Amino acid sequence: MMLSLKKLTSAAAAPAILHHSRRLVSPNYITNDKLVGSFIPSKNPSQWTSNRFLDIYQLANKAAIEKERARISDEMSRGYFADFGEMKKHGGKIAMANKIIIPAMAATKFPALEVNFSDGSSLKLPITSGGNGSSADKLDVPKASLLCLSFRGSSQAMINSWSKPFLDEFCSSNETQLFEVSLIESWLLRRNLIKKLLLRIMKKPSPDDKKNVLQRQIVYSFGDHYYFRKELNILNLLTGYVFLLDKFGRIRWQGFGSATPEEVSSLLACTALLLEEA
């Protein structure tokens, strides 16, 4: 009786052991001496699709994690104190502005940026002849646009040193546009309710600006601008940045910090050249 029971147990266990050994030596499930995926391929094709999707998701998730780690490392390498230290050295003048216009063939595109007006309406910058994501007529596309970027209120005086001479010089031009953009990255201030409240009390253009053909348009951009900043090589958030764009949204001139008289002359001359382009 005992002998028969042992034979029966051995006979039942043999297929399971054989099947297990086949799983372990199967080349489909061994990579770099590690088991991956399911041991037994499913007979259901939908299960194969699910497994492949899971693998792709894991790879994409791993890439996203590595990308975020690189971002954190980059952000940690530059903080407020590093920006403040630079401000003490050069007062926000991280570089001199272009003396001449950047050739069209060498110019890079300004990255897309969604902005909000104080009334809650939105717009995507830059406005170009390639389309603005709206039904804007080509006649509304400016030949020259001055975009002034600030990340902190302390840089507003720097922005004014560029925008005021530009506005005074081209006040009667209908082929130029001027945008002063405040970029707001605070997680709290980006919440919808807080954002709506802020827009109601935000600075609005003065009545004197509305008398001119060229109007100073004050707009706000809420969100995470890390990759936007990377594209424009913006590091110090305490200073101001100024970009002159052509009708295709290409950066043809740029300035930093507070304007000098020579840099203002260069800005106005480059703008005049853009207005002459066909």
Side-chain angles (χ1 to χ4, degrees):
M1 180 67 178
M2 182 62 70
L3 182 61
S4 300
L5 182 59
K6 287 182 178 180
K7 288 181 178 180
L8 182 60
T9 304
S10 300
I17 295 173
L18 179 60
H19 182 67
H20 181 67
S21 63
R22 285 175 180 171
R23 291 189 308 183
L24 293 177
V25 300
S26 174
N28 295 327
Y29 297 98
I30 299 180
T31 304
N32 297 330
D33 299 327
K34 293 182 180 180
L35 301 180
V36 295
S38 302
F39 284 125
I40 306 174
S42 172
K43 296 181 180 180
N44 186 354
S46 64
Q47 184 65 36
W48 300 346
T49 303
S50 299
N51 290 340
R52 285 197 297 270
F53 175 79
L54 182 59
D55 291 340
I56 293 172
Y57 172 79
Q58 289 174 340
L59 287 173
N61 192 42
K62 183 178 180 181
I65 292 174
E66 292 299 326
K67 188 176 182 180
E68 188 62 22
R69 283 178 178 172
R71 168 180 173 159
I72 292 173
S73 176
D74 184 33
E75 294 279 54
M76 290 290 288
S77 66
R78 284 199 63 89
Y80 174 81
F81 293 107
D83 291 352
F84 186 74
E86 286 187 357
M87 291 291 290
K88 290 181 66 177
K89 289 181 181 178
H90 49 58
K93 201 68 175 174
I94 60 177
M96 298 302 294
N98 297 103
K99 293 184 178 180
I100 60 174
I101 195 167
I102 300 172
M105 295 297 293
T108 59
K109 284 286 189 74
F110 189 89
L113 180 68
E114 185 172 348
V115 298
N116 295 98
F117 292 91
S118 56
D119 63 1
S121 60
S122 62
L123 178 72
K124 183 178 288 185
L125 296 177
I127 300 174
T128 68
S129 59
N132 182 46
S134 65
S135 57
D137 191 274
K138 287 191 175 182
L139 293 176
D140 297 327
V141 176
K143 285 188 174 183
S145 301
L146 187 66
L147 270 59
C148 308
L149 310 182
S150 62
F151 293 83
R152 302 290 185 271
S154 57
S155 62
Q156 186 57 50
M158 303 177 193
I159 297 301
N160 292 341
S161 69
W162 301 99
S163 62
K164 190 177 185 306
F166 184 87
L167 186 60
D168 291 342
E169 180 70 18
F170 300 103
C171 60
S172 59
S173 172
N174 59 359
E175 295 181 318
T176 57
Q177 286 195 341
L178 169 61
F179 287 93
E180 292 186 7
V181 186
S182 295
L183 296 102
I184 301 170
E185 298 187 324
S186 167
W187 177 87
L188 177 61
L189 300 182
R190 284 154 45 189
R191 300 302 91 193
N192 284 334
L193 181 59
I194 304 297
K195 174 181 172 181
K196 290 178 181 179
L197 292 174
L198 280 176
L199 287 173
R200 290 182 182 180
I201 62 174
M202 285 296 192
K203 182 179 179 182
K204 299 175 176 59
S206 66
D208 292 337
D209 291 340
K210 296 182 179 181
K211 297 177 182 178
N212 302 321
V213 176
L214 172 62
Q215 296 185 13
R216 183 177 61 155
Q217 304 189 69
I218 301 175
V219 294
Y220 306 88
S221 180
F222 295 82
D224 181 357
H225 302 107
Y226 174 76
Y227 295 105
F228 172 81
R229 289 188 274 114
K230 291 287 285 185
E231 286 194 58
L232 294 175
N233 198 30
I234 291 176
L235 299 177
N236 194 310
L237 302 185
L238 299 180
T239 191
Y241 298 84
V242 182
F243 300 89
L244 179 66
L245 313 182
D246 62 18
K247 62 183 179 181
F248 298 106
R250 296 173 299 199
I251 301 172
R252 306 294 298 275
W253 179 96
Q254 57 183 326
F256 315 89
S258 297
T260 65
E262 294 78 14
E263 288 176 322
V264 169
S265 297
S266 173
L267 167 62
L268 301 182
C270 290
T271 304
L273 289 175
L274 288 183
L275 295 180
E276 295 175 0
E277 288 187 354

